[in-house]
Amino acid sequence: MKKGSLKRVFLIFFVIEIVLLIISGGLTKDLEIGFEKSKFVVRHVEKHGDLQEKITEEFQPDEYLLETGERGKIHGSERIYDFFAKVFGKAHAISAFMLLRMLLIVNFIIILIAVLTKKLLFDRPSKPQVLFEMMYSFFEEFVQDTLGKNFIHFTPYIFTIFLFIWVCNMIGLVPIPGFMEPTRNLNVPMGIGIICILVVHATSIKVKGIWGHFKNYLNPIENPLFLLDIVGEVSKVVSISFRLFGNVLGGAIIMLVVSSLVKFIMFPVGLNLFFGIFVGTIQAFVFTMLALTYIGVEIGE
Amino acid sequence: MAMAEAIARAAALLGAGICMGMGALGPGIGEGFVAGKACEGIARSPENASLITRTMLVGQAVSESTGIYSLVIALLLIFST
């Protein structure tokens, strides 16, 4: 790539960022795009400047709306909101709605990646194919180092977890109101953590047999501390999911506090670089590595 | 606001501050220790620098989690009382 074109790309991104910033809430106003009574509307919503209230509203919509009873901002279709309000109740509907929409966007991106790497060519590989083959082979090597050659079929599972969490963490970089990382909601990391631990136990049963696996937890004579082992399995889920959740939430709150210090005029680029890209990538990698290590500990003996 | 509620709120805010301060001590010391050891390792064998850096980052991210737990608890104290 030529030097000039790279500079031009950066300039275009900068301009797009400024335009998004101006229309998306730099001036204590929030842009609301959506459907109202089967009519497409774009309007500004006044925001209050109290940081405490804003944090409560952004991060715990359920509690805040339960207390105040007002209807939150919905960027999307009203009919789906009414469906959620019927199923979950009014206050929980908003967070469920936001979470589901974000997860749909993440899934869309992953499907896009799959479409991009659909045509696999051996002679002249396309650019996305080269990129994702590099990432895949990195993870394949990693799985082979940890579990051995017999368990190399875990690579797609591990790679999928990494890609999902990574895309989830990267969503927070998009400066559009209503965009949040799905991993900021505790339900998502907890769900992935439970799946990881279930896979660990299923693999252990497959390798060691049913009694070979459960004698660790059900035999008080051989293992007097079997209760601690059971608690340890639960704490694995808690530790692996709270780590991801706390990192993403802490980064988001720090960014919000800094943006409120400059009255939402500037976009904290450096903080996004660290808490968005760096911490997001590292935490996604740590999550997959721990999921892999748990499997390795169970089948290693 | 009633007096009892105000006292509970003040205690929760104070507890959140103490929790964050104490909880940041351990990971800070631990991560600095890990970084120092990694520096020593890189100085001893510069050809393994990338592997050492990767392992250091992962280890730091894992040992950071106690601080993250205290952050979660501080947030719970602030927002749920």
Side-chain angles (χ1 to χ4, degrees):
Chain A
M1 189 183 272
K2 280 183 290 183
K3 261 182 196 169
S5 63
L6 197 66
K7 213 181 278 177
R8 212 171 298 149
V9 168
F10 273 120
L11 197 70
I12 289 170
F13 268 104
F14 190 65
V15 170
I16 289 174
E17 216 167 58
I18 288 177
V19 169
L20 278 175
L21 183 76
I22 287 172
I23 63 169
S24 74
L27 310 169
T28 65
K29 272 183 188 165
D30 208 350
L31 190 71
E32 192 175 71
I33 305 171
F35 291 94
E36 192 181 36
K37 289 174 189 160
S38 68
K39 220 171 122 188
F40 188 75
V41 289
V42 180
R43 64 178 173 219
H44 280 299
V45 183
E46 285 285 343
K47 261 198 280 186
H48 27 69
D50 190 8
L51 181 66
Q52 173 98 16
E53 234 171 278
K54 184 168 166 48
I55 288 179
T56 318
E57 184 186 5
E58 270 221 351
F59 293 96
Q60 292 184 330
D62 315 12
E63 305 271 331
Y64 179 73
L65 291 166
L66 278 179
E67 275 175 18
T68 57
E70 70 184 59
R71 187 167 187 164
K73 299 188 295 285
I74 293 292
H75 312 274
S77 156
E78 292 280 315
R79 214 171 275 170
I80 302 175
Y81 170 77
D82 286 340
F83 173 73
F84 274 108
K86 263 181 204 155
V87 175
F88 297 114
K90 206 165 195 175
H92 292 274
I94 291 169
S95 72
F97 188 90
M98 276 172 72
L99 181 66
L100 201 80
R101 203 157 46 95
M102 284 298 109
L103 281 177
L104 278 178
I105 290 173
V106 170
N107 285 351
F108 177 74
I109 293 172
I110 289 179
I111 289 169
L112 195 71
I113 290 171
V115 169
L116 277 180
T117 55
K118 196 181 158 203
K119 260 194 198 168
L120 295 181
L121 297 174
F122 189 74
D123 300 328
R124 282 186 302 110
S126 58
K127 275 174 193 166
Q129 187 189 343
V130 171
L131 180 68
F132 285 101
E133 271 182 2
M134 260 168 62
M135 282 167 77
Y136 188 86
S137 61
F138 173 76
F139 273 93
E140 201 173 50
E141 215 172 276
F142 197 60
V143 171
Q144 197 178 337
D145 285 349
T146 317
L147 297 182
K149 212 155 201 169
N150 292 330
F151 293 96
I152 211 160
H153 57 271
F154 275 107
T155 316
Y157 158 68
I158 292 294
F159 189 55
T160 309
I161 288 179
F162 174 78
L163 211 59
F164 181 77
I165 297 174
W166 189 67
V167 173
C168 279
N169 289 342
M170 288 303 124
I171 284 282
L173 294 177
V174 183
I176 296 175
F179 265 56
M180 58 172 251
E181 302 95 335
T183 39
R184 198 199 282 169
N185 195 316
L186 183 56
N187 294 310
V188 175
M190 199 71 117
I192 309 173
I194 288 172
I195 288 173
C196 286
I197 301 303
L198 285 183
V199 167
V200 168
H201 285 268
T203 315
S204 179
I205 287 174
K206 208 172 167 188
V207 172
K208 290 197 264 183
I210 290 180
W211 177 242
H213 174 64
F214 280 112
K215 81 177 175 200
N216 214 5
Y217 305 104
L218 298 176
N219 200 346
I221 300 152
E222 235 178 60
N223 183 12
L225 296 177
F226 66 106
L227 275 178
L228 274 185
D229 276 357
I230 294 172
V231 175
E233 291 303 314
V234 177
S235 78
K236 265 184 193 172
V237 178
V238 173
S239 95
I240 200 175
S241 55
F242 267 75
R243 179 176 299 123
L244 183 59
F245 164 71
N247 267 295
V248 175
L249 181 71
I253 285 183
I254 289 170
M255 270 189 270
L256 189 63
V257 168
V258 172
S259 334
S260 94
L261 285 181
V262 294
K263 301 288 173 202
F264 299 100
I265 294 170
M266 263 168 61
F267 193 65
V269 178
L271 285 176
N272 262 309
L273 207 63
F274 182 75
F275 288 110
I277 295 176
F278 182 71
V279 171
T281 311
I282 290 280
Q283 288 305 320
F285 187 66
V286 164
F287 196 102
T288 50
M289 201 205 63
L290 282 178
L292 198 58
T293 314
Y294 288 157
I295 299 175
V297 166
E298 282 290 332
I299 66 173
E301 295 152 10
Chain B
M1 196 188 284
M3 196 66 199
E5 272 182 33
I7 290 175
R9 181 100 183 103
L13 289 177
L14 201 63
I18 294 173
C19 166
M20 208 50 239
M22 299 292 238
L25 263 182
I29 294 172
E31 285 181 28
F33 194 70
V34 170
K37 284 285 180 192
C39 246
E40 279 179 23
I42 291 175
R44 202 171 296 138
S45 59
E47 66 270 12
N48 288 337
S50 66
L51 182 66
I52 289 173
T53 311
R54 208 171 65 201
T55 317
M56 181 194 79
L57 282 179
V58 171
Q60 280 184 336
V62 171
S63 73
E64 199 186 349
S65 58
T66 50
I68 296 299
Y69 300 154
S70 74
L71 173 72
V72 171
I73 287 172
L75 289 178
L76 280 178
L77 280 176
I78 291 174
F79 289 125
S80 66
T81 53

